Amino acid sequence: MYKREIRLSKETVGEFVNAANKCDFDIDICYNRVIVDAKSIMGVFSLDLSHKLTVSYQEKDDVFEGVLSRYAVA
């Protein structure tokens, strides 16, 4: 399993969810104890976007990795 920490804003959630939807494997995004499907725009918006979020996924996809890199926490 791969994990990356990212930060999203209201403006970037759509791009993130679109990239996640193009992957044929499960992707979860979580903050504290709340875990949602990263392919659900409503689920991602239900998270506290002012904090770091953790993305967990099973496989690598170059396009998705590129999107994650743009939002990665340094």
Side-chain angles (χ1 to χ4, degrees):
M1 176 174 281
Y2 302 98
K3 290 188 177 195
R4 300 273 305 263
E5 288 190 339
I6 64 169
R7 282 197 189 272
L8 294 174
S9 66
K10 288 185 241 178
E11 294 78 22
T12 59
V13 167
E15 179 187 11
F16 172 79
V17 171
N18 285 338
N21 274 310
K22 292 177 183 173
C23 298
D24 61 349
F25 48 88
D26 290 335
I27 304 170
D28 294 325
I29 187 167
C30 65
Y31 171 69
N32 281 343
R33 295 182 182 177
V34 178
I35 301 170
V36 298
D37 183 356
K39 297 179 181 184
S40 165
I41 197 160
M42 293 303 292
V44 176
F45 271 122
S46 72
L47 298 172
D48 186 352
L49 299 178
S50 65
H51 295 280
K52 290 187 290 187
L53 305 171
T54 303
V55 180
S56 304
Y57 49 104
Q58 298 289 332
E59 299 176 33
K60 288 211 175 212
D61 178 85
D62 291 336
V63 175
F64 185 63
E65 290 287 328
V67 172
L68 286 179
S69 294
R70 283 196 291 266
Y71 306 122
V73 175

